[in-house]
Amino acid sequence: MTHQFTNDLIHETSPYLLQHAHNPVDWKPWSDNTLQLAKEENKLIIISVGYSACHWCHVMEHESFEDEKVAEVMNANYISIKVDREERPDIDQVYMDAVQLMTGSGGWPLNIVALPDGRPVWGGTYFKREQWMSALSQISKLFQEQPEQLYNYADQLEKGLKSMNLVTLNKETPDFNLTQIDSIVAEWSQSFDHVNGGLKRAPKFMMPNNYQFLLRYAYQTNDKSLLDFVNLTLTQMAYGGIFDQIGGGFSRYSVDDKWHVPHFEKMLYDNGQLVSLYADAYLLTKKDLYKNVITETLHFIETELTTPEGAFMSALDADSNNTQGHLEEGAYYVWTKEELKTLLSNDFTLFAEYYNVNQYGHWEGNNYVLIRTLDDVEFCKKFDLHQDELDSKKNKWHQALLKARALREHPRLDDKTLTSWNAIMLKAYVDAYRVLRDEKYLDIAKYNANFILQQQLKKDGGLFHNYKNGHSSINGFLEDYALTTDAFISLYENTLDEQWLNYSRDFTNYALDHFYDSQNGMFFFTSNEDPSLVTRNIEYRDNVIPSSNSVMAKNLFKLSHYFDNDYYQKTATTLLNNVQEEMKAYGSGFSNWLDLMLNYTNPFYEVVVVGKNASNKLSEINEFYIPNKLIAGSTSAKESPLLKDRYLDNKTMIYVCVNKTCQLPVTETDKALEMILK
């Protein structure tokens, strides 16, 4: 007989937490009340962290947390807390650091045992049922019989945690030079995979910010070999199964070294950053493949991850029910030969050549993951087709497969909204508009920006982190301020609407007041108004998403120009100087910082367009890849530092300045571009 259970997670809004609301485990959400309960009852705490699109999180739930015998052990001896890492990246970061210190590696699900005061004493990632029960029994016994052993260990671990992300003020005079960047890239390039792109390893993660920096660096240093490598990587990713060849959008990573078989979850933050990356790459190369990636990915976002309010949802799960009604990874996306032959009839042979329905594209069992190996020109030549014929066929194939796929059970949707991830996608739409000039993209970006202002803005001018069903409950983290500011600056540069620039300044000032540690010259991840955790972390190493400190540093650099603010400039320089030493050993973990360093080592242009025709001139400038610039402008007289006394009634003038030194203004865009692209 199956019992029906309901625990305290039933009152939460996170889809991941709600998935566990009917486990027999007496789960509680992270809260002051829960932590106080552990202290009052002098009970150890289980802190189990995951996210809705995490395959192994679901496996462990099914094997252990849905099991009544496991629940008995957990409920008798522990206070059990479930955490959605996307809602609470601060908690995730603290306990992930602890597991990495204890075991040397980390990942999700993340499972920690902590003392009643929240300090960790044991942990790991995925555990089989028997392992989990055995470990919990042993730790519980030790706590009852020799608690001092656990308290002593917690003291040592706490010291290690506090030193782990410690950044001290670098008192050396800043010296940012291109030679240093050259050396970092040379070391990094030893790991490049010149066959499949990316790094020589599997699994392969896309790391968009790495390639955003490498693209810029290759362009600005005229390094054709590096540019070829970046283009190889972007092409292979676009050809691979990691890109949904039928429905658009990227999965999180590939399990092999050729970008073929993905871990099938689709995350908002990956897709947003990849659109921005492919937008810049398209601007530089004008490759149709890159343009198609942009349009198909944004179509996926619009149809699958956008709410009527203009908010973007977080993720699609890797798992969905197969034809037998069992959850299976990738079931929604893979095909058998028999299915494809039925759907495509006479066109199957050509389709199979284009998407490698052969040994190369085979996954497991009878399943194939579509992957390309030829560009369209080569393919048309090989099969004696015109490009328009191939385009027509591809469109027909896609429609047939999308129709068939729509009959399958859809992957689970994580429909929560996170401010930071929304800002990433907002910027993606702005970047797509910048290079493709499709007004629809700009409209979507502005709609989302207004959603953030209407729903995520607190009364004191700060931001909330999360949103679901009209409800925002979690105070914003540094990533929310950093990424929203970055997106709003981009929105200003493409609309010349000053409200976006002013909000960027206000969010930056708020972050300086609530997150900045002036003693060490770095930003904390959490606000000074948040309840304290075991440690107050500083996030400064760039990962799949650039670190919040590196994004803040770039924002401060730009805003110092817009508002002629020396304090912003000095703070940006201090932040970069603080991480300079560690950058030398690990370029890929500091790519956004390296991108900022290029602003110091190469000329950085202020391009100011003022006059009735400013928007058209801006469009002409945006036809070129110019990563080392900021844009300011207006169609009327303004008083802000870059625009003051520059408006003329009867002319549209373009000013190009470097280091507060300006060339004579010009009226023709090509003349201005000559000054920048010389």
Side-chain angles (χ1 to χ4, degrees), residues 333-356:
Y333 299 102
V334 299
W335 303 93
T336 64
K337 270 188 187 176
E338 290 65 33
E339 284 176 305
L340 291 169
K341 283 175 179 173
T342 304
L343 290 166
L344 301 167
S345 55
N346 294 340
D347 255 4
F348 169 75
T349 305
L350 195 64
F351 177 94
E353 289 285 347
Y354 192 79
Y355 286 118
N356 287 283

Side-chain angles (χ1 to χ4, degrees), residues 528-583:
N528 55 12
E529 295 183 343
D530 290 328
S532 58
L533 300 174
V534 178
T535 59
R536 193 176 178 201
N537 271 1
I538 294 169
E539 183 203 45
Y540 68 94
R541 295 181 188 96
D542 296 324
N543 206 306
V544 175
I545 299 175
S547 69
S548 42
N549 265 283
S550 69
V551 180
M552 281 303 303
K554 285 175 88 170
N555 293 340
L556 284 158
F557 179 90
K558 275 194 166 183
L559 292 171
S560 74
H561 289 260
Y562 283 120
F563 292 101
D564 194 19
N565 187 314
D566 282 343
Y567 180 70
Y568 287 173
Q569 175 69 29
K570 282 176 187 162
T571 306
T573 306
T574 298
L575 286 158
L576 180 57
N577 202 35
N578 284 344
V579 301
Q580 187 175 9
E581 197 55 39
E582 195 176 333
M583 287 166 70

Side-chain angles (χ1 to χ4, degrees), residues 211 214-216 218-219 223-224 226-235 238 275-294 434-436 622-627:
Y211 299 101
L214 291 170
L215 181 76
R216 175 182 176 180
Y219 170 74
D223 188 333
K224 185 181 181 305
L226 181 57
L227 197 55
D228 287 346
F229 166 71
V230 174
N231 277 310
L232 169 72
T233 299
L234 298 194
T235 300
V275 166
S276 293
L277 171 59
Y278 278 91
D280 278 345
Y282 174 70
L283 206 52
L284 192 55
T285 64
K286 295 297 188 281
K287 281 182 75 165
D288 282 340
L289 174 70
Y290 296 172
K291 180 181 178 181
N292 293 340
V293 165
I294 297 167
R434 172 169 55 87
V435 302
L436 300 182
N622 279 338
E623 287 174 22
F624 294 84
Y625 177 62
I626 312 169

Side-chain angles (χ1 to χ4, degrees), residues 134-361:
S134 170
L136 293 185
S137 298
Q138 288 175 53
I139 297 164
S140 171
K141 188 168 184 283
L142 185 62
F143 184 62
Q144 285 160 16
E145 295 174 2
Q146 294 174 291
E148 67 282 354
Q149 278 197 26
L150 290 177
Y151 277 95
N152 289 339
Y153 182 63
D155 291 341
Q156 296 306 310
L157 191 58
E158 186 180 3
K159 284 177 192 165
L161 282 172
K162 286 185 170 163
S163 65
M164 215 176 156
N165 290 303
L166 194 63
V167 182
T168 52
L169 186 66
N170 182 357
K171 294 179 181 173
E172 299 288 321
T173 304
D175 176 24
F176 309 135
N177 59 76
L178 202 53
T179 309
Q180 184 183 344
I181 301 176
D182 294 342
S183 161
I184 292 169
V185 173
E187 178 68 27
W188 185 358
S189 66
Q190 303 301 307
S191 306
F192 292 169
D193 179 345
H194 290 283
V195 177
N196 295 310
L199 300 183
K200 289 185 276 197
R201 54 164 287 181
K204 264 187 158 78
F205 287 84
M206 293 168 290
M207 307 301 285
N209 187 256
N210 280 189
Y211 299 101
Q212 199 101 41
F213 160 70
L214 291 170
L215 181 76
R216 175 182 176 180
Y217 172 79
Y219 170 74
Q220 288 190 215
T221 57
N222 249 337
D223 188 333
K224 185 181 181 305
S225 163
L226 181 57
L227 197 55
D228 287 346
F229 166 71
V230 174
N231 277 310
L232 169 72
T233 299
L234 298 194
T235 300
Q236 294 303 114
M237 282 174 7
Y239 283 176
I242 197 165
F243 183 68
D244 183 349
Q245 299 293 336
I246 301 304
F250 288 88
S251 296
R252 200 160 73 91
Y253 63 89
S254 72
V255 299
D256 50 58
D257 65 357
K258 64 182 184 183
W259 308 106
H260 179 214
V261 178
H263 210 331
F264 288 90
E265 69 264 41
K266 289 179 172 178
M267 313 301 293
L268 184 69
Y269 60 79
D270 282 321
N271 283 284
Q273 291 180 96
L274 287 161
V275 166
S276 293
L277 171 59
Y278 278 91
D280 278 345
Y282 174 70
L283 206 52
L284 192 55
T285 64
K286 295 297 188 281
K287 281 182 75 165
D288 282 340
L289 174 70
Y290 296 172
K291 180 181 178 181
N292 293 340
V293 165
I294 297 167
T295 57
E296 289 170 30
T297 301
L298 291 181
H299 179 72
F300 156 69
I301 295 297
E302 194 180 342
T303 54
E304 303 263 8
L305 291 180
T306 306
T307 74
E309 295 168 283
F312 302 120
M313 296 177 279
S314 294
L316 281 179
D317 203 337
D319 303 344
S320 56
N321 280 335
N322 59 21
T323 48
Q324 285 80 45
H326 301 304
L327 271 183
E328 182 186 317
E329 191 181 354
Y332 186 70
Y333 299 102
V334 299
W335 303 93
T336 64
K337 270 188 187 176
E338 290 65 33
E339 284 176 305
L340 291 169
K341 283 175 179 173
T342 304
L343 290 166
L344 301 167
S345 55
N346 294 340
D347 255 4
F348 169 75
T349 305
L350 195 64
F351 177 94
E353 289 285 347
Y354 192 79
Y355 286 118
N356 287 283
V357 185
N358 51 32
Q359 194 52 44
Y360 188 78

Side-chain angles (χ1 to χ4, degrees), residues 98-113:
V99 161
Q100 286 175 331
L101 269 181
M102 288 187 275
T103 69
S105 63
W108 298 277
L110 175 66
N111 290 290
I112 288 278
V113 172

